[in-house]
Amino acid sequence: DTAVSQTPKYLVTQMGNDKSIKCEQNLGHDTMYWYKQDSKKFLKIMFSYNNKELIINETVPNRFSPKSPDKAHLNLHINSLELGDSAVYFCASSHLASNEQFFGPGTRLTVL
Amino acid sequence: GEDVEQSLFLSVREGDSSVINCTYTDSSSTYLYWYKQEPGAGLQLLTYIFSNMDMKQDQRLTVLLNKKDKHLSLRIADTQTGDSAIYFCAERERGSTLGRLYFGRGTQLTVWP
């Protein structure tokens, strides 16, 4: 299946832990994104990578570090997790100049 | 600014038309989008409209854009229970080659049988 996939789908962890979320796309896109959707469904961009280079870095705590090993992958590592990090994290991809972004199914992170 | 506003809830009866409204503040937006999010799922792009257009129709979906009032609407004809979802309006800022989108908070559409 051609798609944007994320793992894991659910992640429950304790405060202070470090965790990673993985994203992969097999659509041949050159740009990938991470979005955060809070409990009120507000969706906001966090990062974007184009050809493995960081091009968007919104005001996000530096505990969040994206890593793009290749154009098809964009992982999100979070250090010292806090309660406020609980949210659904969506990965997306597109061709940079395209009008269409394709979203993954989301990872629901719960920090206890 | 990139404020995108939507009403939070809309309920309609099956077979009726649904109209979901959105207002935005960035007059230089180039593209405006409608995404659908079903429970537990990611966002699915439904349609988008370029800012120099007034209307776009795609089967049961009609998008109307009023640039003067910075108002975007999505009309779903013959609404079905399967249309129940959250609908997000989003804008892409002019000159943004970075693909940055700004989303509204979403409108929860509930369709009653």
Side-chain angles (χ1 to χ4, degrees):
Chain A
D1 289 339
T2 54
V4 180
S5 59
Q6 297 178 227
T7 54
K9 190 169 173 63
Y10 300 97
L11 183 55
V12 181
T13 188
Q14 300 282 341
M15 274 176 55
N17 284 349
D18 303 338
K19 290 293 179 186
S20 291
I21 307 172
K22 296 187 176 183
C23 178
E24 176 181 3
Q25 55 91 8
N26 60 6
L27 299 166
H29 291 157
D30 56 11
T31 305
M32 297 183 72
Y33 311 81
W34 277 111
Y35 288 84
K36 178 180 180 181
Q37 185 177 47
D38 65 21
S39 58
K40 296 183 179 175
K41 302 296 184 185
F42 186 47
L43 192 68
K44 189 170 181 181
I45 191 165
M46 300 172 68
F47 300 103
S48 177
Y49 271 72
N50 172 251
N51 288 321
K52 303 194 298 174
E53 298 288 328
L54 181 67
I55 58 171
I56 295 175
N57 184 357
E58 296 292 299
T59 308
V60 175
N62 58 14
R63 297 183 295 104
F64 290 78
S65 52
K67 285 186 172 51
S68 182
D70 55 58
K71 286 197 301 184
H73 296 84
L74 180 63
N75 303 323
L76 184 64
H77 189 75
I78 316 170
N79 289 327
S80 303
L81 278 154
E82 299 177 358
L83 294 177
D85 297 332
S86 295
V88 181
Y89 292 84
F90 286 101
C91 177
S93 73
S94 73
H95 288 296
L96 183 60
S98 169
N99 301 313
E100 299 184 35
Q101 292 184 20
F102 293 82
F103 282 75
T107 295
R108 181 174 292 277
L109 171 65
T110 303
V111 182
L112 303 175
Chain B
E2 302 84 18
D3 288 332
V4 180
E5 299 286 340
Q6 301 176 238
S7 53
L8 294 182
F9 302 100
L10 176 66
S11 294
V12 300
R13 286 224 172 265
E14 192 173 23
D16 288 349
S17 292
S18 309
V19 180
I20 303 171
N21 294 302
C22 170
T23 58
Y24 59 97
T25 56
D26 187 356
S27 59
S28 64
S29 295
T30 52
Y31 289 90
L32 295 131
Y33 303 80
W34 285 104
Y35 280 84
K36 177 183 179 182
Q37 184 181 26
E38 296 181 3
L43 276 75
Q44 173 196 354
L45 178 63
L46 287 179
T47 187
Y48 63 90
I49 188 168
F50 187 49
S51 58
N52 69 353
M53 297 169 65
D54 298 323
M55 186 181 89
K56 181 177 180 181
Q57 188 151 2
D58 183 2
Q59 299 182 331
R60 292 190 298 123
L61 305 179
T62 303
V63 179
L64 294 177
L65 175 60
N66 182 329
K67 279 196 72 177
K68 175 175 169 288
D69 295 337
K70 300 193 192 74
H71 182 265
L72 181 75
S73 68
L74 174 69
R75 179 176 180 271
I76 306 172
D78 187 25
T79 315
Q80 303 296 307
T81 53
D83 294 325
S84 292
I86 301 176
Y87 290 80
F88 290 91
C89 170
E91 62 171 348
R92 177 172 174 162
E93 61 188 353
R94 180 182 294 279
S96 174
T97 57
L98 305 181
R100 185 187 277 116
L101 297 182
Y102 296 95
F103 285 85
R105 288 184 180 269
T107 299
Q108 172 76 58
L109 174 64
T110 302
V111 183
W112 302 98

